[in-house]
């Protein structure tokens, strides 16, 4: 006898709640339909549901996201890097205390090597026909960042090897919730034949019909709730094995049916979040201006704060990290969240003078300043001009009609090619292809869990001790 089980999945919502009322209505309708057809439905989230760029997530420390998952009766979730390394240790430790679903994550541990109380390495579902499905979960291996927050994250491939050995003789089907990215998902499909289905996130890939590698189905549903993923598994109930599998995605942008109850809840929670974020954290003694491509006072204040916080010889940050100017007077958490919503931390990198010079020249390239960046924690629109503290960049218009860097001075002295400089900056520059020279630096110091807006609050509050 053949039966079909339906897996629906979301991933990388990043607190983009604009589509959530449509998602809720869509999934409720699907639940009703499958119940009428006497088919089982499993609902999963693959991580990065919570993103502190949104005021609701910021104010509730992610608890509102968990409420939304509870409301839809998710069967299980795993976590992404936005849950794992943008919340403080205590906030993550309490994030899921009201969760009505298992958080499946086999590669996260406490500093003592124990699993957090809110985590299970796998979860076994028994279908009505007796078929047993193991749900596994792993998240991206950002070892250093987790360590700074008081966690230990294990290599996900090693963790999978151990977990599969634990479950494979207990179950008929293995489904992996992977917040590793499509490249790792493809490697897993090749190296772990016991896994039947991989539902992925992190790299925001959309696989409209899934992808099959060695009889393993890989699925992914993009980002921001623009799609809902759906996997149908046709199972031989006697042999308890998958006969066919099929993946698809449903676009949510143009769904006409919405859940009015969810809309009202989000509106009410938004008002409550505004109240929470109305706390005054400092005072601006002057109007702080913003120009992404010319000198302005607000980015200059931020780069000063980064230099002081990280105790750098010099500092650098792109103007586009600030999204709006700041008026003179009291400054609230809401103001700073609106102006600097990114889950980005300060850091210090140690660069030789010739490498630092290359970075500075690259930063002053017009294409870099005009770059419309997405990802790496950046929640703004454009990179903007690099702003420095302790670095004086001299530029001149040459025959090609463009400005070029002609001289660089470090704290009043000509830059020295072989000298090592301690450069305070932002972790975004260490993570990706923007500035490979920074990413390849041997020595880096990250400052967590403070985000850039925490540094602005500290600077504007004129606090003598760190937060």
């Amino acid at each position: 006898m053949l039966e079909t089980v339906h897996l629906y999945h979301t991933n990388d919502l990043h607190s983009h709640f604009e589509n959530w009322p449509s998602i809720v209505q869509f999934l409720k309708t699907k639940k009703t339909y499958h119940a009428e057809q006497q088919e089982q439905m499993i609902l999963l989230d693959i991580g990065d549901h919570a993103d502190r760029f949104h005021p609701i997530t910021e104010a509730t420390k992610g608890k509102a996201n968990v409420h939304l998952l509870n409301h839809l009766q998710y069967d299980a979730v795993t976590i992404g890097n936005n849950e794992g390394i943008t919340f403080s240790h205590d906030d993550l430790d309490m994030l899921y205390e009201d969760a009505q679903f298992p958080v499946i994550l086999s590669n996260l541990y406490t500093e003592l090597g124990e699993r957090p109380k809110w985590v299970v390495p796998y979860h076994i579902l028994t279908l009505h026909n007796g078929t047993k499905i193991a749900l596994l979960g792993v998240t991206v291996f950002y070892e250093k960042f987790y360590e700074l927050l008081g966690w230990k994250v294990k290599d996900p491939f090693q963790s999978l090897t151990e977990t599969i050995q634990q479950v494979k003789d207990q179950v008929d089907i293995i489904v992996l919730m992977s917040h590793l990215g499509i490249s790792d998902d493809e490697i897993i499909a090749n190296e772990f034949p016991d896994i039947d289905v991989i539902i992925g996130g992190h790299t925001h890939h959309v696989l409209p019909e899934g992808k099959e590698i060695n009889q393993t189905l890989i699925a992914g549903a993009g980002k921001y709730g623009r799609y809902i993923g759906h996997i149908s598994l046709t199972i031989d109930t006697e042999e308890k094995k998958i006969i066919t599998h099929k993946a698809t995605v449903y676009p949510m942008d143009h769904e006409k049916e919405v859940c009015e109850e969810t809309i009202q809840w989000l509106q009410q929670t938004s008002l409550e979040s505004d109240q929470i974020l109305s706390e005054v954290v400092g005072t601006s003694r002057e109007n702080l201006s913003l120009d992404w491509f010319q000198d302005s006072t607000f980015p200059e204040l931020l780069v000063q704060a980064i230099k002081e916080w990280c105790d750098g010889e010099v500092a650098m940050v792109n103007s586009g990290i600030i999204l709006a100017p700041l008026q003179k007077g009291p400054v609230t958490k809401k103001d700073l969240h609106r102006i600097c919503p990114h889950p980005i931390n300060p850091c210090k990198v140690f660069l030789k003078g010739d490498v630092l010079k290359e970075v500075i020249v690259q930063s002053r390239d017009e294409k870099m300043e005009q770059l419309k960046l997405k990802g790496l924690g950046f929640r703004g629109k454009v990179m903007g001009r690099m702003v420095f503290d302790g670095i004086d960049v001299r530029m001149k218009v040459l025959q090609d009609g463009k400005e070029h860097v002609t001289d660089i001075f470090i704290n009043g002295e000509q830059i020295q090619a072989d000298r090592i400089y301690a450069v305070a900056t932002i972790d975004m520059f260490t993570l990706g292809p923007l500035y490979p020279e920074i990413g390849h630096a041997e020595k880096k110091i990250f400052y967590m869990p403070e985000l850039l807006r925490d540094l602005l609050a500290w600077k504007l509050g004129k606090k003598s001790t760190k937060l």
Side-chain angles (χ1 to χ4, degrees), residues 21 259-270:
C259 176
E260 293 295 337
E261 179 188 354
T262 299
I263 291 174
Q264 293 174 10
W265 187 88
L266 286 170
Q267 289 173 343
Q268 179 60 36
T269 307
S270 180

Side-chain angles (χ1 to χ4, degrees), residues 76-359:
V77 310
T78 192
I79 75 167
N81 45 289
N82 273 270
E83 288 93 2
I85 61 173
T86 71
F87 290 101
S88 70
H89 182 283
D90 289 345
D91 288 343
L92 176 59
D93 211 27
M94 295 186 292
L95 176 58
Y96 296 102
E97 61 184 0
D98 297 323
Q100 297 167 12
F101 46 80
V103 180
I104 305 173
L105 185 60
S106 63
N107 65 323
L108 183 69
Y109 297 84
T110 69
E111 287 183 310
L112 299 177
E114 302 169 340
R115 294 195 191 278
K117 60 183 181 299
W118 45 273
V119 159
V120 293
Y122 61 87
H123 181 67
I124 297 176
L125 296 173
T126 302
L127 304 183
H128 298 326
N129 59 34
T131 302
K132 292 186 176 182
I133 298 178
L135 300 176
L136 279 55
V138 285
T139 198
V140 65
F141 186 52
Y142 287 154
E143 184 177 21
K144 183 64 176 179
F145 297 122
Y146 276 103
E147 180 183 321
L148 289 168
L149 291 168
W151 301 107
K152 286 184 179 179
V153 66
K154 186 184 242 182
D155 180 277
F157 288 80
Q158 180 183 350
S159 181
L160 274 178
T161 299
E162 296 168 357
T163 309
I164 290 171
Q165 288 300 314
Q166 291 175 343
V167 304
K168 69 177 185 178
D169 293 332
Q170 304 179 53
V171 300
D172 308 297
I173 297 168
I174 296 178
V175 174
L176 172 64
M177 299 187 292
S178 163
H179 198 89
L180 302 180
I182 183 62
S183 296
D184 280 357
D185 291 349
E186 291 173 349
I187 293 171
I188 290 169
N190 275 305
E191 294 188 0
F192 294 89
D194 292 308
I195 296 177
D196 298 286
V197 178
I198 301 171
I199 309 176
H202 185 54
T203 46
H204 303 170
H205 47 283
V206 182
L207 300 176
E209 297 179 351
K211 183 175 184 177
E212 186 173 334
I213 296 179
N214 290 344
Q215 298 183 312
T216 297
L217 179 65
I218 303 175
K223 63 179 180 179
Y224 301 167
R226 293 173 182 164
Y227 298 94
I228 295 293
H230 175 213
I231 299 166
S232 59
L233 303 177
T234 302
I235 299 170
D236 184 321
T237 58
E238 293 182 2
E239 296 190 13
K240 293 184 171 52
K241 68 178 184 178
I242 299 172
I243 303 300
T244 63
H245 53 218
K246 180 181 178 182
T248 188
V249 294
Y250 297 99
M252 292 290 107
D253 288 339
H254 303 298
E255 279 288 313
K256 295 180 180 179
E257 298 290 329
V258 297
C259 176
E260 293 295 337
E261 179 188 354
T262 299
I263 291 174
Q264 293 174 10
W265 187 88
L266 286 170
Q267 289 173 343
Q268 179 60 36
T269 307
S270 180
L271 293 173
E272 295 170 359
S273 298
D274 283 348
Q275 289 295 315
I276 294 171
L277 297 177
S278 65
E279 178 187 345
V280 174
V281 292
T283 302
S284 179
R285 290 180 167 80
E286 59 180 344
N287 292 330
L288 294 173
S289 62
L290 174 64
D291 189 316
W292 289 333
F293 307 108
Q294 301 293 333
D295 292 341
S296 54
T297 54
F298 204 177
E300 290 170 359
L301 179 79
L302 176 59
V303 78
Q304 292 167 14
I306 293 172
K307 182 183 175 184
E308 293 174 24
W309 187 272
C310 300
D311 192 25
E313 287 182 79
V314 297
M316 56 186 287
V317 69
N318 57 305
S319 296
I321 213 84
I322 299 291
L323 303 191
L326 186 65
Q327 299 301 310
K328 179 180 179 181
V331 180
T332 65
K333 286 184 176 181
K334 182 180 178 181
D335 293 327
L336 296 182
H337 185 269
R338 172 178 55 84
I339 285 165
C340 194
H342 329 274
I344 290 175
N345 306 96
C347 70
K348 184 162 60 178
V349 296
F350 294 82
L351 302 175
K352 282 183 62 179
D354 56 350
V355 176
L356 177 57
K357 179 180 179 180
E358 189 174 343
V359 169

